Amino acid sequence: AVIDGACLGGGLEFALACTHRVASDNPKTQLGLPEVSLGIIPGFGGTQRLPKLIGLQNALPIILTGKPVNGKKALKISLIDGLISHAFSDQDSLKFVHSLLKTPSKCLKPQKKSVGQFFKEDTFLGRSLVFAAAKNMILSKTKGHFPAPLEALKVVKRTYTKPLEKGLKIEARYFGKRVPTSLSKNLIGLFYIQESLKKYTGVSKDISPKTITNAGVVGAGFMGGGIAWLFANAHIPTRLKDINWEALSHGLETIHSYLKKDLKRKKIMPYELKNKLSSVSTTVDYTGFQHTDIVVEAIVENMDLKKSVFKELESHVSKDTVLASNTSSLSITEMASGLTHPERFIGMHFFSPVNRMPLVEVIPGKKTNEETIASTVAWAKSLKKTPIVVQNCPGFLVNRILNPYINEAVLLVQEGVSMVKIDSIAVQFGMPLGPLTLADEVGLDIGFEVAKILESAYGERMKTAAIFENITEIVNCLGKKTKKGFYIHTTKDPSPNPEILQLAASKIGSQGKQKPAPSEDFILDRLILTLLNEASRCLEEHVVESPAYLDMAMIMGTGFPVFRGGICRYADDRGITNIVDKLNEMTQLYGKRFTPSQKLASMKTDHSKFY
Ligand code: NAD
């Protein structure tokens, strides 16, 4: 088999069934078995031929994590017999075959095991240790939510010393068990959504996006630094502007720190770090901005200030430069209202931290033209992000859905429910962080500001919890950045902040008759169904095109558990009738904020589903 490009899943299993393999040094060459990431296990002999070819210790990480290896690594672990040049793959592969036929001993790497390898792979005790360590690794990484890697491990464990024929039968049996599960359907569903997003243009017409050769970023804070890093990472010369040199040096530090992380993870070479860093130049005025194709603004969240910066900016850029705001809550239409060319203005909402979060909400204002939308979507993709176009409503899509969920958690604290309990229930459901820990991460000042904007936009159902109103009065209680929020963050294991517990106790007193403590299932429903109810309203109002894109946005913007396939998929799996009935029950108990959306109510009547 000659491998030049992606060789994943069935492709690698086919190559494994060949006598010999060579692969190219093409950066696109990847060899891997990603089946577990789709909730299944390799089913065409991958769990059998790979360990037999490269040994247990090399094969297990490939089978159990689904992560691919490149040509160089494949040669190192003897997955391939030769590494050929991509540019001369035709000649090189023929040369390899000729020398293989002539002098096989010369072109095949001798397979020798060290004593350690022999012990770990060829003795019962050694193998038991390897399997136990692999199981622990899986459980700590997946928290028990992904059974596929454990099943794949079971297959390897049961078959490693068995003949191929027998092993293949056992693999097929386990594969058959995994395929019809809802988990694999959810993960495969997400895979198809991801594939469709690769072709996504954000517009219905066939519009060619403009090219991007120079970029500008205004505001060198936490987000601005991250956005400048993104451009630099894509080798796009970038001007970074702030009001003073000190702020600019913070921006450069952010860029440098992200590049250093990539260097440490061997994603870039030292010379690339230097190249990328030097593609960002700093300024306290707008020199150089006349050459930019796009400018992203990331200054403080203040409408008047942002409007005046854009007004100023308009006189320093060409009339075709796309002007984008990274605002997390302010109206794009209003921000563009003072501009001479509002048709090239758009919202481009990155999530924090920029180097890790894949989602970008692209928000057209009323006057934004289609070329601007198509170009912004294309550029976000070239920055290796996943853009999704959403409507210009308060909170846009993700923050609008997330806010009532966090607020509900604060209301639970106010009723005396333990913070640790609330967070751990959300984590058990699969959320990466509990809602209160998340609020601390975001910053309570920012969270409160957004919560108030959403309260004034959506009214009663987003009424900010009373203790949230008072938290900002506690000295220095801004979340993780001040080491004090819902939790005290001075140690590795944050503990609940006694000042907040005191505040909650005072609210319990003032609420009159105390409500009975909700059960764990009820706590989970209060959190998740609040989130779902708002998500369904977003679909009702066409804030986002489809349940599929909403699900993807929640997964990529908040870390909503992938194994649930997204919030809409979760609702379908659980049953819309059950959800509407539960929301009605909670409306009786806790008030109108739980009233099912019109969409959910009519879905119950029509017996319809999101998918
Ligand atoms: P930040 O306070 O870290 O940075 C703001 C920067 O803007 C500062 O360096 C400040 O000096 C600079 N600035 C202020 N006025 C300026 C002007 N007139 N010209 C040039 N620079 C100016 O803020 P941040 O957290 O990076 O947020 C920036 C924007 O991104 C806000 O609109 C915010 O809502 C949005 N956002 C923030 C997050 C987040 O988690 N922090 C996430 C998504 C979006």
Side-chain angles (χ1 to χ4, degrees):
V2 180
I3 300 161
D4 183 28
C7 180
L8 304 168
L12 180 60
E13 290 177 296
F14 175 76
L16 282 169
C18 296
T19 334
H20 295 288
R21 288 146 295 280
V22 287
S24 76
D25 57 4
N26 181 352
K28 287 188 180 156
T29 293
Q30 289 189 316
L31 296 88
L33 295 172
E35 283 83 350
V36 288
S37 58
L38 298 178
I40 55 176
I41 67 163
F44 300 120
T47 64
Q48 302 305 301
R49 292 190 178 96
L50 190 66
K52 287 186 170 67
L53 181 71
I54 63 173
L56 205 51
Q57 291 179 94
N58 285 328
L60 283 180
I62 296 177
I63 298 171
L64 305 181
T65 67
K67 284 197 187 127
V69 294
N70 60 18
K72 206 169 146 200
K73 173 84 194 221
L75 183 68
K76 197 170 166 206
I77 59 176
S78 299
L79 172 51
I80 54 172
D81 303 298
L83 186 66
I84 57 172
S85 122
H86 165 61
F88 302 103
S89 59
D90 285 356
Q91 295 96 310
D92 279 7
S93 51
L94 275 181
K95 229 191 264 170
F96 179 84
V97 173
H98 284 306
S99 54
L100 183 67
L101 293 173
K102 243 164 115 192
T103 45
S105 58
K106 268 200 181 159
C107 68
L108 295 177
K109 219 167 112 185
Q111 302 264 7
K112 264 195 198 153
K113 278 187 181 173
S114 67
V115 179
Q117 259 174 318
F118 175 79
F119 169 70
K120 284 183 176 164
E121 305 196 345
D122 296 338
T123 68
F124 178 76
L125 179 64
R127 280 197 300 274
S128 307
L129 292 174
V130 171
F131 289 131
K135 188 174 175 185
N136 285 341
M137 182 276 291
I138 297 169
L139 289 175
S140 83
K141 281 210 165 145
T142 64
K143 301 188 174 73
H145 290 306
F146 289 84
L150 286 174
E151 296 281 290
L153 182 65
K154 264 191 220 163
V155 174
V156 179
K157 198 172 164 184
R158 283 191 58 184
T159 58
Y160 185 61
T161 51
K162 287 198 167 59
L164 182 66
E165 282 305 310
K166 261 198 179 153
L168 287 173
K169 281 194 183 131
I170 294 172
E171 180 193 78
R173 219 171 36 240
Y174 274 79
F175 176 80
K177 261 194 341 193
R178 290 278 356 123
V179 173
T181 58
S182 66
L183 174 80
S184 82
K185 280 187 198 156
N186 288 344
L187 294 173
I188 291 169
L190 286 177
F191 173 74
Y192 283 120
I193 302 172
Q194 244 165 340
E195 289 298 297
S196 87
L197 279 170
K198 283 184 189 159
K199 295 180 207 122
Y200 181 68
T201 60
V203 287
S204 47
K205 287 186 215 149
D206 191 13
I207 296 176
S208 310
K210 293 194 278 189
T211 50
I212 178 170
T213 43
N214 287 289
V217 176
V218 182
F222 182 53
M223 293 303 287
I227 297 164
W229 166 81
L230 269 181
F231 286 124
N233 211 26
H235 303 283
I236 298 167
T238 303
R239 291 291 277 164
L240 177 61
K241 182 202 179 289
D242 206 299
I243 43 178
N244 56 45
W245 294 105
E246 198 191 339
L248 284 165
S249 73
H250 286 309
L252 287 177
E253 268 166 31
T254 306
I255 301 167
H256 196 205
S257 73
Y258 289 165
L259 288 171
K260 273 196 299 192
K261 271 187 192 147
D262 284 351
L263 185 69
K264 205 170 157 203
R265 288 189 201 121
K266 297 199 166 104
K267 277 168 109 180
I268 56 170
M269 307 283 279
Y271 78 89
E272 288 177 288
L273 183 147
K274 281 187 192 158
N275 272 354
K276 289 180 177 189
L277 194 60
S278 62
S279 64
V280 180
S281 56
T282 50
T283 172
V284 286
D285 54 29
Y286 289 104
T287 46
F289 273 70
Q290 64 272 30
H291 305 299
T292 54
D293 303 294
I294 181 171
V295 177
V296 183
E297 163 277 318
I299 67 163
V300 281
E301 189 79 338
N302 178 304
M303 180 61 92
D304 291 340
L305 208 57
K306 285 189 194 264
K307 270 172 136 175
S308 78
V309 162
F310 278 115
K311 187 94 200 104
E312 205 177 26
L313 192 56
E314 222 181 8
S315 60
H316 291 93
V317 295
S318 92
K319 73 174 183 16
D320 298 322
T321 304
V322 167
L323 300 182
S325 173
N326 180 45
T327 175
S328 36
S329 58
L330 302 172
S331 165
I332 296 302
T333 302
E334 194 193 331
M335 216 180 284
S337 61
L339 297 183
T340 316
H341 291 290
E343 68 282 355
R344 45 79 174 268
F345 190 80
I346 199 157
M348 204 176 184
H349 182 209
F350 292 88
F351 287 73
S352 147
V354 177
N355 65 333
R356 291 226 318 267
M357 301 302 278
L359 181 67
V360 178
E361 289 180 331
V362 173
I363 312 123
K366 251 201 184 111
K367 295 190 176 162
T368 310
N369 66 20
E370 301 236 302
E371 193 186 21
T372 303
I373 303 173
S375 299
T376 309
V377 166
W379 293 341
K381 280 194 208 173
S382 69
L383 300 176
K384 300 205 173 84
K385 294 286 167 192
T386 304
I388 294 183
V389 173
V390 302
Q391 295 304 316
N392 178 38
C393 63
F396 312 132
L397 179 71
V398 171
N399 284 347
R400 171 172 165 180
I401 296 175
L402 207 57
N403 180 65
Y405 156 81
I406 294 178
N407 199 41
E408 197 56 39
V410 185
L411 285 167
L412 282 160
V413 174
Q414 206 166 287
E415 286 170 28
V417 182
S418 131
M419 294 185 210
V420 175
K421 188 171 178 181
I422 299 168
D423 274 354
S424 75
I425 287 172
V427 170
Q428 271 164 30
F429 176 79
M431 300 301 266
L433 299 173
L436 302 164
T437 307
L438 177 64
D440 276 359
E441 289 279 339
V442 172
L444 299 189
D445 48 344
I446 296 176
F448 181 67
E449 212 174 294
V450 173
K452 291 311 274 182
I453 291 172
L454 297 191
E455 179 181 337
S456 68
Y458 300 108
E460 189 58 26
R461 72 171 191 272
M462 293 217 195
K463 188 164 171 36
T464 314
I467 61 168
F468 216 162
E469 301 269 359
N470 298 119
I471 284 175
T472 40
E473 288 161 20
I474 302 176
V475 180
N476 235 2
C477 187
L478 302 182
K480 207 171 171 190
K481 59 188 166 192
T482 54
K483 299 202 182 323
K484 187 165 84 169
F486 283 100
Y487 295 93
I488 300 290
H489 296 270
T490 44
T491 55
K492 211 177 145 218
D493 254 335
S495 54
N497 179 353
E499 286 172 285
I500 297 218
L501 294 178
Q502 222 173 356
L503 192 59
S506 73
K507 297 292 172 199
I508 296 170
S510 66
Q511 281 162 7
K513 202 167 149 258
Q514 201 181 333
K515 290 188 181 119
S519 67
E520 291 200 359
D521 284 349
F522 239 102
I523 293 174
L524 181 66
D525 277 345
R526 279 180 63 175
L527 297 173
I528 300 300
L529 298 194
T530 303
L531 198 144
L532 169 64
N533 212 8
E534 200 54 39
S536 68
R537 286 195 183 94
C538 289
L539 287 168
E540 194 176 297
E541 295 168 25
H542 306 288
V543 173
V544 61
E545 192 180 308
S546 64
Y549 290 171
L550 186 147
D551 277 347
M552 210 38 138
M554 289 303 288
I555 288 169
M556 295 195 163
T558 71
F560 190 88
V562 273
F563 63 90
R564 299 210 181 265
I567 184 72
C568 298
R569 186 78 73 173
Y570 166 76
D572 280 356
D573 283 350
R574 180 165 162 178
I576 302 296
T577 302
N578 170 296
I579 282 165
V580 173
D581 292 350
K582 198 81 204 174
L583 281 167
N584 281 327
E585 185 187 342
M586 294 199 290
T587 310
Q588 295 291 323
L589 283 168
Y590 301 105
K592 277 190 184 159
R593 67 180 185 278
F594 287 104
T595 310
S597 69
Q598 270 180 20
K599 181 164 180 80
L600 283 174
S602 63
M603 284 172 80
K604 177 184 167 180
T605 317
D606 308 341
H607 301 290
S608 59
K609 287 179 160 201
F610 285 108
Y611 285 89

